Amino acid sequence: MTNLPELARRSATPAPYAPNAILRWLYRRFFAHIRVDENWSRGVREAASEGVVVYVMRSLSFLDFLCLDFLLKKFGLPLVRFVNDLGLWILEPFGKGERRLSLRRQIPEAEALERTVGDGFSALLFLRRPPKLGSKARRGRDLDVDLIETLVAKQRVSDRPILLVPQTFVWSKQPETATPSLLDLLFGPVQWPGRVRVFFQFLLNYRDAKLRSGEPFNLGEFLDKNPELTDSEAAAKVRYALLRRMERDRAVIIGPMKKTTARIQDEILRSPRVRGHIEHYAEEKGIPYSKAEDVARKQLQKLCAKQSLFVVDLMHRFLTWMWSKMYDGVVLDKEGLERVRDAARDASLVLLPSHKSHIDYLVLSDQLYAHAMMPPLIAAGENLSFFPIGPLLRRGGAYFIRRSFHGDSLYPVIVEAYMRKLIAEGFTVEFFLEGGRSRTGKALPPKYGLLSMVVDSATKLRQTKVKLVPISIGYERIIEERSFVHELSGGDKQSENMGGLLKSSSVLRSKWGRLYVQFGDIIDFDEFASNLVQRQGSAGATIAEIGEQQQRAAVRALAHKVMYSINEVTVVTPAALVATALLSHQKRGMTRESLLNACESLMQTLEKMNARVAHQLRVGDGRIREDTIDEAVALFLDARLIVAHDTGPEPIYTIDSERRIALEYYQNTIIHFFVPRALVSAALLVDKQQWADRPRLNDRVQQLSRLFKHEFIFRTDATFDQIFDDTLGAMAEDGEIEIRHDQIQATEGVKRHRLERYAVMLQTFFESYLLALRGAEIVLDGPIPKKDWYKRTLALGQQMYLAGEIERRESLSKLKLETALKALQDYQLVQLNGDTLERGEGVDGVSVLHALEPKLTGFLR
């Protein structure tokens, strides 16, 4: 039987808050719109299973309490039995009627909290009050009673852990401003608002309000790790940690403190480093310092973003509608997004997405905003700054950079200073490491300019953590398909203009499949730099302390690490899978059954590589989904990239020679997965002997890797021999090759067809490089402008195609010739002097070129 003291103690435990009928209606009317973190309820439940949950909020707010109470009841989570300092009178949640007033007089808050937690019930603690009316203080005021210290004391005598769970409601999208306004003085700052400001923030933004829950703070574990702290010292550290967590959560959503563009420009121009360069520029040009400073200010004005949350929100509403018209859905890597959110809490982020379409500028920012993260400031080319798109993008977060820094010693200093300022202020920045859009579908070799600025900033900003996020943005079909084919076929690149964009309005009348956003492993710059310096034998040093050549090598290593990570997380779309199956087929047409079998074979290989395969490609029992393959085929039929011939029991698909180059784009989006096996297959099948000597095969594959080093992104975490051995091991495990001691051969039968399929994936590259080698003979007649060389070489390629020397029409690609030309330069067969091609030092006659041709033609099947 329960004794009387125990019964009396339980009767003193406050009951959950029970709103009246009017408040219940207000709950449903306003609070149902709040966007809750998907992991919120699960996180709170997990915390409740480990111990007693105490919800924690920054600033005293009756509205926040009501909202939290509504959500806890909606999701069936532990209810609040105690809340501090609200002064709610008849709404105080300690009971009803006279008993409430009695409790308020007789039970101090510290004792009430101790009883509530001791009975295993949840509580809500506010950590600060808003600033006083008219105060210029930018932070809240301390409360009269330190209830965190009460919890510390309670935890010391309790076996059950107390978990403090930060709760952050965001009612306003406006970040805190560096200079207080009159409204801030009268009604409290945006982030520490008084009751009146909270009320109006709620009315204006309740449909877009957000709730974020921070990582639970285990008070028991903290005290175990810090036994020497007194209760007050422990409480101070816990309070600081909680406030920091909640400020970071808020900053992830609304961004860092807002400064006007003019103030940012003034601070940049006042920095000693920039002033020194302006002085040097003035001396170089023979002009006064004031005029040189005006030049720098004008460059900054053209450069700087002017992000407006009003414009961002407007664009989000428009883009949500546009995505629904254009795409069958946006597939977002939500686990990766949460990793990015966690990283943003304690570091400045540098987002590095792949670049395949102008849509890239919009899609990542929009998805981050849609999932309660502040959109980044994005580096865009000056070619996109035209009216009216330019001003709109600038207010959406774009800053515009020239394509080339040559001829202006001041401009790169201004760009670097701006990038450093953004990182130091805590902004998330984004730029495309490839520089421009990939016209081929493959990842382009990285450009090092902006990344070197980031590395320099991260090295010198010792108090700022910097993390880099590789991101893959993929499409089942690309909206620039026609213009890319035009350029690949040798046509001139068309600059962006309003007329071109208006013509693109037709894209809204078509479906372009799905759009995919995937996040790679986040790279902590400090960890990367430390590991790199150790590998170079300079333990204890920083990147800033190693030689200039080593610093450049570090930038290159980081760039290739990012690009390889982007490739790793690229989604294998149904369209890419179908395109690869069609183009690697060696006959004129392909039946539907053959297509399905080829897709299944490719899928098996990809899944063993742990590639991210679009979920709709597999059904529950592991079989390939035929309807998904049919949808991808329909997508290509609609685009007239393939033709279906219904002449029998099942359709036969063929590709018009003129459309192969467009279809190859989609194959190239996933070709990097197969490149190691393709190189081995090409080197193995070229040998007429049944068994190939392993060292000889190794040497042949290494030569091909060097030949195609400008074409593909290879692993950066292993040597060539390690990659070669890993590839052979995987192919042997899959039954594609046999290994006996140091002898290797292709497996006969069905598995041999896989090797032939892999090798065929490289055929167009071999043919393009053969064409470039043949085109090198043109240079023997004398120097020639590079532009003219491309035209004459493509014309030569057309003759070789008609004569049968080149089998695949997609080999006649200007962009393939560009990378092949880099290989010719590496082998000193040609050299580039400005924009003019000249004979290389390694060529003394046409016989040298002719002697090299069999080394390429041997790989053509």
Side-chain angles (χ1 to χ4, degrees), residues 143-246:
L143 299 175
D144 297 332
V145 181
D146 187 355
L147 295 179
I148 295 291
E149 189 172 342
T150 301
L151 291 178
V152 170
K154 184 64 179 176
Q155 182 66 86
R156 292 193 191 277
V157 298
S158 175
D159 294 331
R160 193 175 183 192
I162 298 173
L163 290 103
L164 306 175
V165 185
Q167 305 294 308
T168 303
F169 282 105
V170 179
W171 300 111
S172 171
K173 299 175 183 176
Q174 294 299 326
E176 186 175 5
T177 56
T179 304
S181 65
L182 180 61
L183 285 177
D184 294 336
L185 296 176
L186 293 177
F187 303 111
V190 172
Q191 302 311 322
W192 294 90
R195 292 183 180 182
V196 175
R197 190 160 197 166
V198 166
F199 177 72
F200 281 102
Q201 284 179 346
F202 169 71
L203 286 183
L204 293 173
N205 300 293
Y206 72 91
R207 290 184 179 276
D208 294 317
K210 303 173 183 68
L211 169 64
R212 298 298 306 181
S213 180
E215 182 181 353
F217 187 101
N218 191 313
L219 193 55
E221 289 183 358
F222 173 78
L223 293 176
D224 290 342
K225 292 178 181 177
N226 301 277
E228 75 284 357
L229 297 176
T230 65
D231 287 359
S232 61
E233 290 172 341
K237 288 184 177 293
V238 170
R239 186 184 306 102
Y240 175 78
L242 291 170
L243 285 170
R244 286 288 293 159
R245 288 187 184 189
M246 287 185 280

Side-chain angles (χ1 to χ4, degrees), residues 707-778:
L707 177 66
F708 292 134
K709 72 176 185 179
H710 301 291
E711 204 72 61
F712 305 112
I713 305 293
F714 296 100
R715 277 174 60 186
T716 58
D717 61 344
T719 64
F720 169 80
D721 287 338
Q722 289 174 314
I723 299 171
F724 178 74
D725 290 342
D726 290 347
T727 303
L728 289 185
M731 295 177 73
E733 184 180 343
D734 292 345
E736 296 169 350
I737 60 174
E738 293 181 48
I739 303 177
R740 295 181 185 175
H741 305 294
D742 272 350
Q743 299 293 310
I744 302 165
Q745 75 167 357
T747 305
E748 293 299 325
V750 176
K751 293 297 178 72
R752 182 183 179 88
H753 294 320
R754 283 192 183 183
L755 267 68
E756 294 173 350
R757 186 181 296 279
Y758 299 151
V760 167
M761 292 180 189
L762 298 179
Q763 181 174 341
T764 61
F765 299 99
F766 282 119
E767 290 183 345
S768 292
Y769 280 53
L770 175 63
L771 172 59
L773 183 62
R774 192 75 60 84
E777 297 180 23
I778 299 173

Side-chain angles (χ1 to χ4, degrees), residues 59 201 326 577 661 813 815:
S59 182
Q201 284 179 346
M326 292 175 58
L577 187 68
I661 198 168
S813 163
L815 292 185

Side-chain angles (χ1 to χ4, degrees), residues 35 332 337 340-341 351 363-376 428 430 519:
R35 295 162 60 187
L332 180 69
L337 180 65
V340 174
R341 193 191 306 278
L351 307 183
V363 64
L364 183 57
S365 293
D366 184 58
Q367 288 302 303
L368 292 177
Y369 184 74
H371 290 82
M373 287 189 68
M374 188 65 185
T428 297
E430 173 189 338
F519 300 94

Side-chain angles (χ1 to χ4, degrees), residues 264 268 273-274 300 303-304 348-352 377-380 399 401 405 411-432 448-458 461 464 466:
I264 289 176
I268 291 173
R273 184 172 182 275
V274 173
L300 266 176
L303 171 68
C304 288
S348 293
L349 298 187
V350 180
L351 307 183
L352 300 169
L377 301 183
I378 312 169
Y399 55 99
I401 297 179
F405 293 178
Y411 187 73
V413 175
I414 296 299
V415 174
E416 184 175 358
Y418 181 63
M419 292 282 288
R420 185 178 303 178
K421 184 67 174 174
L422 295 181
I423 292 171
E425 294 287 335
F427 287 94
T428 297
V429 298
E430 173 189 338
F431 59 89
F432 300 106
Y448 306 123
L450 290 182
L451 185 64
S452 65
M453 294 180 184
V454 169
V455 169
D456 187 62
S457 299
L461 295 171
T464 304
V466 177

Side-chain angles (χ1 to χ4, degrees), residues 81 247 292 328 342 377 687 705 792 806 860:
R81 304 279 184 126
E247 286 175 1
D328 294 325
D342 289 341
L377 301 183
D687 204 327
S705 298
R792 289 183 59 179
I806 289 178
L860 295 175

